Amino acid sequence: MSVWPAWAVREGGRATHWFHVRLLFADGARVEGLVTVSEDGVGVEDLRARPALSLDDLAAFADWIEEPLARACGAAPEPSAGSADATGRHRRRPVGPRGVEGRRLAAREYTAARREGADPVLAVMGATGHSRRGALRLIGRARDEGLLAPRHARR
């Protein structure tokens, strides 16, 4: 993983920093992008991948670049659940229902969020403590089990 500064733009008291990001995988796959960092957050301006990224991989892209990008900005990211700490040991995942109970919880939270007009994936993430990628997997398993309507069904 390589991250290097491209340029910075200052407007008044605000600054936006642009970074080139490159990920090379052992199987020959590669992802390259242009990422912005400002006080408003992180944005992905351009992303190219060979072979193309799946939706799960695209959702995980932020996790892949978080730590190297924070180091390039001169900050250390807060460790997230299940991530390695400074000694390289992995932290335990948050305790939450597993198996069928976890899928039922995900289905309930997903359905309630949709009904309220909120982001259902964020609702599942908050209820289970999973990352976006983990929440998407859990939602998919709930669909496979029939706890949620198929993705292509119109409402």
Side-chain angles (χ1 to χ4, degrees), residues 78-148:
E78 295 179 18
S80 59
S83 66
D85 63 13
T87 63
R89 294 177 303 206
H90 284 273
R91 295 174 175 243
R92 292 183 48 150
R93 291 187 69 83
V95 178
R98 299 183 75 113
V100 71
E101 285 306 314
R103 292 187 293 275
R104 285 183 183 146
L105 172 64
R108 278 193 307 271
E109 293 295 325
Y110 186 95
T111 303
R114 293 249 353 224
R115 201 172 26 248
E116 296 169 8
D119 185 332
V121 177
L122 287 178
V124 173
M125 289 169 62
T128 63
H130 285 294
S131 67
R132 184 167 189 83
R133 186 176 190 178
L136 288 169
R137 265 197 216 117
L138 193 56
I139 291 165
R141 289 181 188 132
R143 282 189 201 289
D144 292 345
E145 203 166 290
L147 299 171
L148 291 170

Side-chain angles (χ1 to χ4, degrees), residues 12-151:
R14 298 175 53 129
T16 301
H17 300 272
W18 299 67
F19 293 90
H20 291 285
V21 178
R22 180 180 296 142
L23 292 90
L24 301 173
F25 296 90
D27 64 357
R30 69 187 296 141
V31 180
E32 295 182 70
L34 187 60
V35 178
T36 61
V37 178
S38 70
E39 63 187 43
D40 295 332
V42 175
V44 177
E45 298 297 320
D46 184 36
L47 188 67
R48 295 181 183 170
R50 297 269 184 227
L53 294 175
S54 69
L55 289 177
D56 284 341
D57 289 340
L58 187 57
F61 181 70
D63 293 335
W64 295 340
I65 67 169
E66 179 182 15
E67 188 176 328
L69 190 57
R71 277 196 309 267
C73 292
E78 295 179 18
S80 59
S83 66
D85 63 13
T87 63
R89 294 177 303 206
H90 284 273
R91 295 174 175 243
R92 292 183 48 150
R93 291 187 69 83
V95 178
R98 299 183 75 113
V100 71
E101 285 306 314
R103 292 187 293 275
R104 285 183 183 146
L105 172 64
R108 278 193 307 271
E109 293 295 325
Y110 186 95
T111 303
R114 293 249 353 224
R115 201 172 26 248
E116 296 169 8
D119 185 332
V121 177
L122 287 178
V124 173
M125 289 169 62
T128 63
H130 285 294
S131 67
R132 184 167 189 83
R133 186 176 190 178
L136 288 169
R137 265 197 216 117
L138 193 56
I139 291 165
R141 289 181 188 132
R143 282 189 201 289
D144 292 345
E145 203 166 290
L147 299 171
L148 291 170
R151 193 166 164 74

